[in-house]
Amino acid sequence: MSLRNYLDRLRPNFEDGGKLHAFKSVFEGFETFLYVPNETSKSGVSIHDAIDSKRIMSLVVIALIPAVLFGMYNIGYQNALAAGKLGETAFINMFLYGFLALLPNILVSYIVGLGIEFAWAQWKGEEIQEGYLVSGILIPLIIPISTPLWMLALAVAFSVILVKEIFGGTGMNIFNVALVARAFLFFGYPSRMTGDTIWLSTQSIFNLGYTLPDGYTMATPLGQIAQGIPVNASMNDMIIGLIPGSVGETSVIAIALGALLLIWTNIASWKTMLSVFVGGAFMSYIFQTTGASPITWYEHLVLGGFCFGAVFMATDPVTSARTETGKWIYGFIIGVLAVIIRVLNLGYPEGMMLAILFGNMFAPLIDYCVVQSNINKRAKRAKL
């Protein structure tokens, strides 16, 4: 018996009058996770498309796979490098070590986030939404690998409940859910989100990897810059991603592969991505020419979470600007703010998170101004 037929046989139990009617939303959520709903609009004019929100979320997750896989390898690479065993550690051992180190974070993120979504839908008697499919993988990728699991669970619960569900669920949130989880950790537990001791997985796992001494330090390039220390990473390492940092944010190549898929499938706006880089390049070039920045303008674009934020965070269709002109303005503001925060706030060397959250806050205003400007122009033409 096929899975489709099995679900059809179970459905009457969850319909009105069925003995499991109270769990209808849970059944429908599981069913729509597996299959596109076989429903059409019963009234009004409808425009049908071959893609729904679940497919959009699935494509974003696929686009994240290169960053996830490289992040797993880099966890093992940095552990072996810190232990001085890089030359004698096999590639597969480093990858498996990173996989085992990252897997608990991913599981906690999804279990807590989806658990809240299921419980909320059950409580409200609503359909389960697919929005957390992307946030669930983004959150482990934008935090240090050493973040305790209980902190991660707390941050996920905070962001899902107070940023998403209270505002009405998927499509109604003002701020990016994953970034708010990171902001919660950054402001609530700063010692676990900044410094030189948080970027490494320091314990051996199932005889893979190496146990490092307590308090072992390894600063990110941006952290070194903030401390006035020359960056010891080459441009090749910055682009490939063989540097300390949040799990999914280090490899420009892996992020670029995801960006190509998002642009090719029209899931994310290339205008927003490009304008973020233009704004960052513009501001960092000004700081470079004035001597305020110790690194070149193009190094700003490949370090920290700049590329990851531009591709996967700034382009969030819910929290970003939606007008075509607004996308250019929105992205440019994010790029400029990210570099300003980096250069002028030595206590916070990474500015992408705050820049995108500020962009989220002003996105509705940007769209409003763009729309009103078009209305005024048309009104003037009508008078003529």
Side-chain angles (χ1 to χ4, degrees), residues 164-208:
K164 183 180 178 184
E165 300 299 348
I166 284 183
F167 282 91
T170 300
M172 305 298 291
N173 48 293
I174 301 174
F175 297 103
N176 184 285
V177 175
L179 281 177
V180 171
R182 191 183 193 281
F184 173 84
L185 291 171
F186 178 81
F187 292 108
Y189 306 95
S191 63
R192 292 288 187 171
M193 297 297 292
T194 58
D196 300 343
T197 62
I198 62 171
W199 307 109
L200 280 172
S201 181
T202 60
Q203 299 297 321
S204 175
I205 305 174
F206 296 137
N207 294 322
L208 292 170

mmCIF file of all heavy atoms in Angstrom, residues 164-208:
data_model
loop_
_atom_site.group_PDB
_atom_site.id
_atom_site.type_symbol
_atom_site.label_atom_id
_atom_site.label_comp_id
_atom_site.label_asym_id
_atom_site.label_seq_id
_atom_site.Cartn_x
_atom_site.Cartn_y
_atom_site.Cartn_z
ATOM 1 N N LYS A 164 7.154 35.342 15.919
ATOM 2 C CA LYS A 164 6.374 34.764 14.831
ATOM 3 C C LYS A 164 4.919 34.503 15.205
ATOM 4 O O LYS A 164 4.001 35.095 14.634
ATOM 5 C CB LYS A 164 7.032 33.465 14.373
ATOM 6 C CG LYS A 164 6.345 32.808 13.201
ATOM 7 C CD LYS A 164 7.069 31.535 12.824
ATOM 8 C CE LYS A 164 6.360 30.852 11.668
ATOM 9 N NZ LYS A 164 6.978 29.563 11.328
ATOM 10 N N GLU A 165 4.682 33.625 16.179
ATOM 11 C CA GLU A 165 3.325 33.185 16.460
ATOM 12 C C GLU A 165 2.424 34.314 16.969
ATOM 13 O O GLU A 165 1.262 34.424 16.570
ATOM 14 C CB GLU A 165 3.341 32.029 17.472
ATOM 15 C CG GLU A 165 4.109 30.799 17.001
ATOM 16 C CD GLU A 165 3.531 30.184 15.740
ATOM 17 O OE1 GLU A 165 2.417 30.555 15.350
ATOM 18 O OE2 GLU A 165 4.205 29.335 15.135
ATOM 19 N N ILE A 166 2.939 35.147 17.841
ATOM 20 C CA ILE A 166 2.120 36.235 18.388
ATOM 21 C C ILE A 166 1.705 37.225 17.297
ATOM 22 O O ILE A 166 0.639 37.834 17.356
ATOM 23 C CB ILE A 166 2.879 36.945 19.532
ATOM 24 C CG1 ILE A 166 2.835 36.073 20.785
ATOM 25 C CG2 ILE A 166 2.304 38.319 19.809
ATOM 26 C CD1 ILE A 166 3.479 36.676 21.992
ATOM 27 N N PHE A 167 2.527 37.353 16.261
ATOM 28 C CA PHE A 167 2.206 38.268 15.173
ATOM 29 C C PHE A 167 1.295 37.640 14.126
ATOM 30 O O PHE A 167 0.938 38.286 13.143
ATOM 31 C CB PHE A 167 3.486 38.771 14.501
ATOM 32 C CG PHE A 167 4.194 39.843 15.280
ATOM 33 C CD1 PHE A 167 5.166 39.528 16.203
ATOM 34 C CD2 PHE A 167 3.867 41.176 15.101
ATOM 35 C CE1 PHE A 167 5.810 40.512 16.937
ATOM 36 C CE2 PHE A 167 4.505 42.174 15.820
ATOM 37 C CZ PHE A 167 5.477 41.833 16.744
ATOM 38 N N GLY A 168 0.956 36.355 14.306
ATOM 39 C CA GLY A 168 0.027 35.717 13.367
ATOM 40 C C GLY A 168 0.599 34.563 12.596
ATOM 41 O O GLY A 168 -0.084 33.981 11.752
ATOM 42 N N GLY A 169 1.854 34.211 12.832
ATOM 43 C CA GLY A 169 2.437 33.052 12.164
ATOM 44 C C GLY A 169 3.237 33.419 10.934
ATOM 45 O O GLY A 169 3.591 34.582 10.705
ATOM 46 N N THR A 170 3.519 32.418 10.110
ATOM 47 C CA THR A 170 4.342 32.596 8.917
ATOM 48 C C THR A 170 3.743 33.648 7.993
ATOM 49 O O THR A 170 2.546 33.632 7.693
ATOM 50 C CB THR A 170 4.452 31.263 8.150
ATOM 51 O OG1 THR A 170 5.062 30.286 8.995
ATOM 52 C CG2 THR A 170 5.295 31.428 6.901
ATOM 53 N N GLY A 171 4.580 34.572 7.554
ATOM 54 C CA GLY A 171 4.144 35.632 6.660
ATOM 55 C C GLY A 171 3.688 36.889 7.358
ATOM 56 O O GLY A 171 3.453 37.909 6.700
ATOM 57 N N MET A 172 3.591 36.854 8.692
ATOM 58 C CA MET A 172 3.111 38.007 9.445
ATOM 59 C C MET A 172 4.188 38.630 10.328
ATOM 60 O O MET A 172 3.976 39.702 10.885
ATOM 61 C CB MET A 172 1.919 37.605 10.316
ATOM 62 C CG MET A 172 0.770 36.967 9.554
ATOM 63 S SD MET A 172 0.042 38.071 8.326
ATOM 64 C CE MET A 172 -0.743 39.269 9.395
ATOM 65 N N ASN A 173 5.319 37.943 10.491
ATOM 66 C CA ASN A 173 6.365 38.438 11.386
ATOM 67 C C ASN A 173 7.067 39.654 10.788
ATOM 68 O O ASN A 173 7.290 39.733 9.573
ATOM 69 C CB ASN A 173 7.386 37.340 11.689
ATOM 70 C CG ASN A 173 7.874 36.618 10.455
ATOM 71 O OD1 ASN A 173 7.105 35.905 9.809
ATOM 72 N ND2 ASN A 173 9.143 36.797 10.132
ATOM 73 N N ILE A 174 7.425 40.584 11.661
ATOM 74 C CA ILE A 174 8.101 41.809 11.228
ATOM 75 C C ILE A 174 9.602 41.579 11.074
ATOM 76 O O ILE A 174 10.235 42.085 10.146
ATOM 77 C CB ILE A 174 7.851 42.944 12.237
ATOM 78 C CG1 ILE A 174 6.356 43.215 12.362
ATOM 79 C CG2 ILE A 174 8.596 44.213 11.827
ATOM 80 C CD1 ILE A 174 6.008 44.216 13.447
ATOM 81 N N PHE A 175 10.184 40.808 11.981
ATOM 82 C CA PHE A 175 11.624 40.575 11.979
ATOM 83 C C PHE A 175 11.936 39.140 11.581
ATOM 84 O O PHE A 175 11.118 38.232 11.769
ATOM 85 C CB PHE A 175 12.215 40.864 13.369
ATOM 86 C CG PHE A 175 12.065 42.286 13.811
ATOM 87 C CD1 PHE A 175 11.094 42.651 14.732
ATOM 88 C CD2 PHE A 175 12.887 43.269 13.294
ATOM 89 C CE1 PHE A 175 10.946 43.957 15.148
ATOM 90 C CE2 PHE A 175 12.747 44.601 13.701
ATOM 91 C CZ PHE A 175 11.775 44.939 14.627
ATOM 92 N N ASN A 176 13.129 38.935 11.055
ATOM 93 C CA ASN A 176 13.597 37.601 10.690
ATOM 94 C C ASN A 176 13.718 36.741 11.945
ATOM 95 O O ASN A 176 14.410 37.108 12.891
ATOM 96 C CB ASN A 176 14.946 37.709 9.973
ATOM 97 C CG ASN A 176 15.442 36.376 9.479
ATOM 98 O OD1 ASN A 176 15.917 35.545 10.256
ATOM 99 N ND2 ASN A 176 15.356 36.173 8.186
ATOM 100 N N VAL A 177 13.048 35.597 11.960
ATOM 101 C CA VAL A 177 12.989 34.753 13.150
ATOM 102 C C VAL A 177 14.366 34.250 13.553
ATOM 103 O O VAL A 177 14.729 34.270 14.737
ATOM 104 C CB VAL A 177 12.031 33.563 12.910
ATOM 105 C CG1 VAL A 177 12.050 32.602 14.086
ATOM 106 C CG2 VAL A 177 10.621 34.070 12.658
ATOM 107 N N ALA A 178 15.163 33.795 12.600
ATOM 108 C CA ALA A 178 16.489 33.256 12.913
ATOM 109 C C ALA A 178 17.403 34.332 13.493
ATOM 110 O O ALA A 178 18.146 34.091 14.455
ATOM 111 C CB ALA A 178 17.116 32.647 11.663
ATOM 112 N N LEU A 179 17.337 35.535 12.932
ATOM 113 C CA LEU A 179 18.200 36.606 13.435
ATOM 114 C C LEU A 179 17.795 37.060 14.828
ATOM 115 O O LEU A 179 18.647 37.431 15.636
ATOM 116 C CB LEU A 179 18.164 37.801 12.473
ATOM 117 C CG LEU A 179 19.023 37.663 11.220
ATOM 118 C CD1 LEU A 179 18.847 38.874 10.323
ATOM 119 C CD2 LEU A 179 20.492 37.469 11.576
ATOM 120 N N VAL A 180 16.510 37.034 15.127
ATOM 121 C CA VAL A 180 16.078 37.398 16.475
ATOM 122 C C VAL A 180 16.566 36.364 17.487
ATOM 123 O O VAL A 180 16.944 36.710 18.610
ATOM 124 C CB VAL A 180 14.548 37.547 16.539
ATOM 125 C CG1 VAL A 180 14.076 37.698 17.981
ATOM 126 C CG2 VAL A 180 14.108 38.753 15.724
ATOM 127 N N ALA A 181 16.595 35.089 17.095
ATOM 128 C CA ALA A 181 17.150 34.057 17.979
ATOM 129 C C ALA A 181 18.614 34.350 18.282
ATOM 130 O O ALA A 181 19.068 34.226 19.423
ATOM 131 C CB ALA A 181 17.000 32.683 17.344
ATOM 132 N N ARG A 182 19.359 34.754 17.258
ATOM 133 C CA ARG A 182 20.770 35.091 17.475
ATOM 134 C C ARG A 182 20.914 36.351 18.318
ATOM 135 O O ARG A 182 21.775 36.439 19.192
ATOM 136 C CB ARG A 182 21.476 35.284 16.134
ATOM 137 C CG ARG A 182 22.997 35.369 16.269
ATOM 138 C CD ARG A 182 23.662 35.643 14.938
ATOM 139 N NE ARG A 182 25.091 35.415 15.007
ATOM 140 C CZ ARG A 182 25.988 36.243 15.519
ATOM 141 N NH1 ARG A 182 25.564 37.397 16.047
ATOM 142 N NH2 ARG A 182 27.263 35.956 15.538
ATOM 143 N N ALA A 183 20.046 37.340 18.071
ATOM 144 C CA ALA A 183 20.097 38.568 18.861
ATOM 145 C C ALA A 183 19.769 38.285 20.324
ATOM 146 O O ALA A 183 20.372 38.871 21.235
ATOM 147 C CB ALA A 183 19.122 39.597 18.288
ATOM 148 N N PHE A 184 18.804 37.381 20.561
ATOM 149 C CA PHE A 184 18.466 37.003 21.932
ATOM 150 C C PHE A 184 19.686 36.425 22.643
ATOM 151 O O PHE A 184 19.981 36.773 23.798
ATOM 152 C CB PHE A 184 17.333 35.984 21.914
ATOM 153 C CG PHE A 184 17.007 35.405 23.271
ATOM 154 C CD1 PHE A 184 16.152 36.077 24.135
ATOM 155 C CD2 PHE A 184 17.552 34.198 23.682
ATOM 156 C CE1 PHE A 184 15.846 35.553 25.389
ATOM 157 C CE2 PHE A 184 17.253 33.667 24.924
ATOM 158 C CZ PHE A 184 16.411 34.338 25.784
ATOM 159 N N LEU A 185 20.421 35.558 21.967
ATOM 160 C CA LEU A 185 21.624 34.979 22.556
ATOM 161 C C LEU A 185 22.718 36.040 22.738
ATOM 162 O O LEU A 185 23.420 36.045 23.755
ATOM 163 C CB LEU A 185 22.157 33.846 21.678
ATOM 164 C CG LEU A 185 21.301 32.579 21.626
ATOM 165 C CD1 LEU A 185 21.829 31.625 20.556
ATOM 166 C CD2 LEU A 185 21.299 31.886 22.982
ATOM 167 N N PHE A 186 22.832 36.919 21.756
ATOM 168 C CA PHE A 186 23.897 37.920 21.813
ATOM 169 C C PHE A 186 23.715 38.871 22.992
ATOM 170 O O PHE A 186 24.664 39.189 23.709
ATOM 171 C CB PHE A 186 23.927 38.710 20.509
ATOM 172 C CG PHE A 186 24.965 39.795 20.487
ATOM 173 C CD1 PHE A 186 26.285 39.502 20.208
ATOM 174 C CD2 PHE A 186 24.626 41.107 20.749
ATOM 175 C CE1 PHE A 186 27.254 40.502 20.198
ATOM 176 C CE2 PHE A 186 25.579 42.107 20.739
ATOM 177 C CZ PHE A 186 26.899 41.805 20.465
ATOM 178 N N PHE A 187 22.485 39.328 23.215
ATOM 179 C CA PHE A 187 22.245 40.277 24.292
ATOM 180 C C PHE A 187 21.980 39.586 25.626
ATOM 181 O O PHE A 187 22.235 40.161 26.688
ATOM 182 C CB PHE A 187 21.071 41.191 23.933
ATOM 183 C CG PHE A 187 21.363 42.118 22.798
ATOM 184 C CD1 PHE A 187 20.784 41.919 21.557
ATOM 185 C CD2 PHE A 187 22.231 43.181 22.952
ATOM 186 C CE1 PHE A 187 21.062 42.763 20.493
ATOM 187 C CE2 PHE A 187 22.523 44.034 21.898
ATOM 188 C CZ PHE A 187 21.926 43.826 20.665
ATOM 189 N N GLY A 188 21.470 38.365 25.600
ATOM 190 C CA GLY A 188 21.193 37.652 26.842
ATOM 191 C C GLY A 188 22.393 36.926 27.410
ATOM 192 O O GLY A 188 22.555 36.832 28.634
ATOM 193 N N TYR A 189 23.244 36.413 26.526
ATOM 194 C CA TYR A 189 24.413 35.645 26.951
ATOM 195 C C TYR A 189 25.620 36.071 26.109
ATOM 196 O O TYR A 189 26.140 35.300 25.296
ATOM 197 C CB TYR A 189 24.155 34.139 26.790
ATOM 198 C CG TYR A 189 22.904 33.673 27.488
ATOM 199 C CD1 TYR A 189 21.695 33.560 26.788
ATOM 200 C CD2 TYR A 189 22.908 33.367 28.842
ATOM 201 C CE1 TYR A 189 20.535 33.158 27.429
ATOM 202 C CE2 TYR A 189 21.748 32.956 29.488
ATOM 203 C CZ TYR A 189 20.575 32.861 28.767
ATOM 204 O OH TYR A 189 19.422 32.449 29.402
ATOM 205 N N PRO A 190 26.076 37.312 26.280
ATOM 206 C CA PRO A 190 27.137 37.848 25.409
ATOM 207 C C PRO A 190 28.438 37.070 25.471
ATOM 208 O O PRO A 190 29.151 36.985 24.474
ATOM 209 C CB PRO A 190 27.308 39.286 25.918
ATOM 210 C CG PRO A 190 26.746 39.283 27.309
ATOM 211 C CD PRO A 190 25.634 38.292 27.290
ATOM 212 N N SER A 191 28.748 36.488 26.623
ATOM 213 C CA SER A 191 30.009 35.748 26.731
ATOM 214 C C SER A 191 30.014 34.498 25.874
ATOM 215 O O SER A 191 31.085 33.969 25.553
ATOM 216 C CB SER A 191 30.275 35.366 28.194
ATOM 217 O OG SER A 191 29.276 34.488 28.678
ATOM 218 N N ARG A 192 28.838 34.011 25.496
ATOM 219 C CA ARG A 192 28.731 32.830 24.650
ATOM 220 C C ARG A 192 28.635 33.174 23.170
ATOM 221 O O ARG A 192 28.585 32.281 22.321
ATOM 222 C CB ARG A 192 27.497 32.008 25.044
ATOM 223 C CG ARG A 192 27.604 31.358 26.405
ATOM 224 C CD ARG A 192 28.586 30.219 26.372
ATOM 225 N NE ARG A 192 28.586 29.470 27.629
ATOM 226 C CZ ARG A 192 29.227 28.321 27.799
ATOM 227 N NH1 ARG A 192 29.922 27.808 26.799
ATOM 228 N NH2 ARG A 192 29.193 27.706 28.966
ATOM 229 N N MET A 193 28.592 34.464 22.858
ATOM 230 C CA MET A 193 28.437 34.885 21.476
ATOM 231 C C MET A 193 29.572 35.759 20.985
ATOM 232 O O MET A 193 29.647 36.074 19.792
ATOM 233 C CB MET A 193 27.115 35.633 21.303
ATOM 234 C CG MET A 193 25.889 34.782 21.591
ATOM 235 S SD MET A 193 25.721 33.386 20.470
ATOM 236 C CE MET A 193 25.373 34.233 18.945
ATOM 237 N N THR A 194 30.431 36.206 21.882
ATOM 238 C CA THR A 194 31.574 37.015 21.495
ATOM 239 C C THR A 194 32.817 36.511 22.216
ATOM 240 O O THR A 194 32.729 35.833 23.228
ATOM 241 C CB THR A 194 31.358 38.498 21.855
ATOM 242 O OG1 THR A 194 31.117 38.602 23.272
ATOM 243 C CG2 THR A 194 30.176 39.072 21.096
ATOM 244 N N GLY A 195 33.979 36.873 21.676
ATOM 245 C CA GLY A 195 35.232 36.455 22.300
ATOM 246 C C GLY A 195 35.965 35.432 21.448
ATOM 247 O O GLY A 195 35.544 35.080 20.338
ATOM 248 N N ASP A 196 37.068 34.927 21.982
ATOM 249 C CA ASP A 196 37.954 34.036 21.228
ATOM 250 C C ASP A 196 37.819 32.573 21.622
ATOM 251 O O ASP A 196 38.528 31.723 21.097
ATOM 252 C CB ASP A 196 39.417 34.463 21.430
ATOM 253 C CG ASP A 196 39.662 35.885 20.956
ATOM 254 O OD1 ASP A 196 38.821 36.396 20.191
ATOM 255 O OD2 ASP A 196 40.686 36.469 21.360
ATOM 256 N N THR A 197 36.929 32.263 22.557
ATOM 257 C CA THR A 197 36.844 30.881 23.054
ATOM 258 C C THR A 197 35.591 30.155 22.578
ATOM 259 O O THR A 197 35.341 29.027 23.005
ATOM 260 C CB THR A 197 36.866 30.871 24.594
ATOM 261 O OG1 THR A 197 35.720 31.591 25.075
ATOM 262 C CG2 THR A 197 38.134 31.505 25.130
ATOM 263 N N ILE A 198 34.798 30.779 21.714
ATOM 264 C CA ILE A 198 33.485 30.218 21.399
ATOM 265 C C ILE A 198 33.397 29.588 20.009
ATOM 266 O O ILE A 198 32.386 28.981 19.670
ATOM 267 C CB ILE A 198 32.399 31.308 21.499
ATOM 268 C CG1 ILE A 198 32.672 32.410 20.476
ATOM 269 C CG2 ILE A 198 32.356 31.886 22.896
ATOM 270 C CD1 ILE A 198 31.559 33.421 20.353
ATOM 271 N N TRP A 199 34.421 29.721 19.204
ATOM 272 C CA TRP A 199 34.314 29.322 17.803
ATOM 273 C C TRP A 199 34.785 27.898 17.544
ATOM 274 O O TRP A 199 34.764 27.436 16.401
ATOM 275 C CB TRP A 199 35.108 30.289 16.927
ATOM 276 C CG TRP A 199 34.725 31.706 17.164
ATOM 277 C CD1 TRP A 199 35.463 32.664 17.789
ATOM 278 C CD2 TRP A 199 33.478 32.332 16.818
ATOM 279 N NE1 TRP A 199 34.761 33.848 17.858
ATOM 280 C CE2 TRP A 199 33.544 33.668 17.262
ATOM 281 C CE3 TRP A 199 32.325 31.894 16.168
ATOM 282 C CZ2 TRP A 199 32.505 34.571 17.071
ATOM 283 C CZ3 TRP A 199 31.285 32.784 15.984
ATOM 284 C CH2 TRP A 199 31.378 34.106 16.436
ATOM 285 N N LEU A 200 35.210 27.213 18.590
ATOM 286 C CA LEU A 200 35.754 25.861 18.419
ATOM 287 C C LEU A 200 34.921 24.828 19.143
ATOM 288 O O LEU A 200 34.405 25.083 20.226
ATOM 289 C CB LEU A 200 37.181 25.792 18.974
ATOM 290 C CG LEU A 200 38.311 26.323 18.099
ATOM 291 C CD1 LEU A 200 39.588 26.356 18.896
ATOM 292 C CD2 LEU A 200 38.470 25.480 16.854
ATOM 293 N N SER A 201 34.811 23.653 18.532
ATOM 294 C CA SER A 201 34.314 22.482 19.249
ATOM 295 C C SER A 201 35.546 21.825 19.867
ATOM 296 O O SER A 201 36.453 21.399 19.153
ATOM 297 C CB SER A 201 33.613 21.524 18.284
ATOM 298 O OG SER A 201 33.116 20.407 18.975
ATOM 299 N N THR A 202 35.584 21.766 21.185
ATOM 300 C CA THR A 202 36.841 21.430 21.865
ATOM 301 C C THR A 202 36.892 20.035 22.462
ATOM 302 O O THR A 202 37.884 19.671 23.079
ATOM 303 C CB THR A 202 37.102 22.439 22.996
ATOM 304 O OG1 THR A 202 36.010 22.389 23.928
ATOM 305 C CG2 THR A 202 37.257 23.838 22.443
ATOM 306 N N GLN A 203 35.814 19.243 22.281
ATOM 307 C CA GLN A 203 35.776 17.917 22.879
ATOM 308 C C GLN A 203 35.756 16.837 21.811
ATOM 309 O O GLN A 203 35.103 16.976 20.771
ATOM 310 C CB GLN A 203 34.533 17.769 23.772
ATOM 311 C CG GLN A 203 34.487 18.742 24.935
ATOM 312 C CD GLN A 203 35.625 18.556 25.910
ATOM 313 O OE1 GLN A 203 36.011 17.422 26.203
ATOM 314 N NE2 GLN A 203 36.171 19.656 26.408
ATOM 315 N N SER A 204 36.465 15.741 22.077
ATOM 316 C CA SER A 204 36.424 14.584 21.184
ATOM 317 C C SER A 204 35.027 13.963 21.230
ATOM 318 O O SER A 204 34.379 13.923 22.281
ATOM 319 C CB SER A 204 37.475 13.557 21.609
ATOM 320 O OG SER A 204 37.381 12.389 20.824
ATOM 321 N N ILE A 205 34.561 13.491 20.069
ATOM 322 C CA ILE A 205 33.235 12.884 19.976
ATOM 323 C C ILE A 205 33.375 11.494 19.361
ATOM 324 O O ILE A 205 33.775 11.357 18.197
ATOM 325 C CB ILE A 205 32.291 13.743 19.112
ATOM 326 C CG1 ILE A 205 32.228 15.182 19.641
ATOM 327 C CG2 ILE A 205 30.896 13.128 19.070
ATOM 328 C CD1 ILE A 205 31.433 16.121 18.756
ATOM 329 N N PHE A 206 33.053 10.461 20.135
ATOM 330 C CA PHE A 206 33.152 9.078 19.641
ATOM 331 C C PHE A 206 34.528 8.795 19.034
ATOM 332 O O PHE A 206 34.648 8.223 17.945
ATOM 333 C CB PHE A 206 32.059 8.787 18.614
ATOM 334 C CG PHE A 206 30.668 8.864 19.165
ATOM 335 C CD1 PHE A 206 29.665 9.499 18.447
ATOM 336 C CD2 PHE A 206 30.361 8.313 20.393
ATOM 337 C CE1 PHE A 206 28.374 9.576 18.951
ATOM 338 C CE2 PHE A 206 29.065 8.388 20.910
ATOM 339 C CZ PHE A 206 28.081 9.018 20.192
ATOM 340 N N ASN A 207 35.552 9.254 19.726
ATOM 341 C CA ASN A 207 36.939 9.051 19.295
ATOM 342 C C ASN A 207 37.270 9.789 17.996
ATOM 343 O O ASN A 207 38.269 9.470 17.339
ATOM 344 C CB ASN A 207 37.254 7.564 19.130
ATOM 345 C CG ASN A 207 37.218 6.823 20.453
ATOM 346 O OD1 ASN A 207 37.640 7.345 21.484
ATOM 347 N ND2 ASN A 207 36.704 5.597 20.432
ATOM 348 N N LEU A 208 36.440 10.735 17.623
ATOM 349 C CA LEU A 208 36.732 11.599 16.490
ATOM 350 C C LEU A 208 37.077 12.984 17.021
ATOM 351 O O LEU A 208 36.493 13.453 17.991
ATOM 352 C CB LEU A 208 35.525 11.698 15.555
ATOM 353 C CG LEU A 208 35.156 10.429 14.788
ATOM 354 C CD1 LEU A 208 33.811 10.613 14.091
ATOM 355 C CD2 LEU A 208 36.226 10.071 13.764
#
